[in-house]
Amino acid sequence: MSGDDGIPPQAEETDVGPGQLYAPFLLMEGVLDKLKLLNYDKEFIRELKMKPLNRHYFVIATNPGEQFFMFTSVAAWLIRKAGGKFEQPQEFDDPNAAIASILDFIRKIGMNIDFPPNRLKPGCGQHVVLVLDQLAEEALKATKFKWNKPEPKPEVTEDDTVEEDDSELLLERVEEEMAAVFSDDEDDNLLNVDDLRTIPGVDMNNLESQKPEEILESTTTSEDWQLELERVLPQLKVTVKSDSRDWRSHLQQMHTQHDGIKESLSSAKIRLDKLFTDTTQIMDKIRSREKFLNSQLDPILVEYRTVQAELARVSEQYQEVNGGVTERQRVLSLVTEELDAVKQEMEERGSSMTDGTPLVNIKRAVGRMKSEIIAMNVQIGVLEHSLLQARLRDKSILQQDMNSNSYLTV
């Protein structure tokens, strides 16, 4: 259900019109009218000592626990009115079992249920009102109630101008007139016989002479009096206007409220006494169970305290040992780093030792050197040959020169 702003929980559905969202309010009012036709004021509220429902009780979420209990109570009462068997639920009954029983009866009467049962657990909402409406309708059928067509009253045309009736007096005017009659100054306003003597122009002897010699007797019969009374009676009607400031209305309200309080107190006292008795019994059970649990848990509590002390001692030792472990962990990390460096160097050397690439390079270099040595030997041989040829040529030239010189000398 809703929220606090009064909007029903069906407002979450966006595929319906805005007027459809407030249909549960109208349906709830119809359910309340059907409950009144089933005389739920006496048979449900007074006999079962329940709280009266308002027009939107099962539409707006106020107290889920109370609303669910009231829903199951009303549903159980309607099922019994419809001829079914359903015991009056209690506040601590299993909600799933109560909902299952209600839905079973609804299926028996032929209603199609197209919503999950957990929609009824909050005790309010569209589905709760729909279930109550179907149960109320079935109860009306069981009581042989029939809906008749409304018969409109004949319209009476009244004149727009209503004559004021001077015979209808307000209560205030009547009180004012009565106060004026019985006021303290009435003695001053009375006309005494002696005062007539002092009025100028009044002849007392003439007044004495005008007195009748015999007692006057009325000739009107009782029938004439009755006719005259019937004629004048409508004009003697006094309309008392109710005033909220009048002490009589306050007194009447006090008496009404006093009677209501007495009636409510008589019903509430029984429920309060029952609640007090149940609460006392529950408290006694709780105390007895508490004592039993304490007696059962005393050895466990002693053992727990011992183990807790041992845990504190071991924790202290652990804190002491933990300092040395931290230092050793630091040294271990340093040694681990050095070991990783040595392992990496060994891996590099091992890979270089098993690798044949340097040997191949050396062989290639040796071959290249041999080829270069051969080329150099050839060049040396060529140079030596060239040098030998030059020496021989020089020698031959020298011999020729020597021979020519000796020839000249001879």
Side-chain angles (χ1 to χ4, degrees), residues 126-142:
Q126 179 182 4
H127 303 91
V128 172
V129 179
L130 182 62
V131 168
L132 291 178
D133 181 69
Q134 294 294 329
L135 292 177
E137 191 70 27
E138 190 67 20
L140 289 175
K141 292 180 182 178

Side-chain angles (χ1 to χ4, degrees), residues 246-257:
D246 188 16
W247 63 271
R248 295 179 182 85
S249 62
H250 293 173
L251 182 61
Q252 183 64 28
Q253 291 179 0
M254 290 172 62
H255 286 302
T256 303
Q257 294 177 0

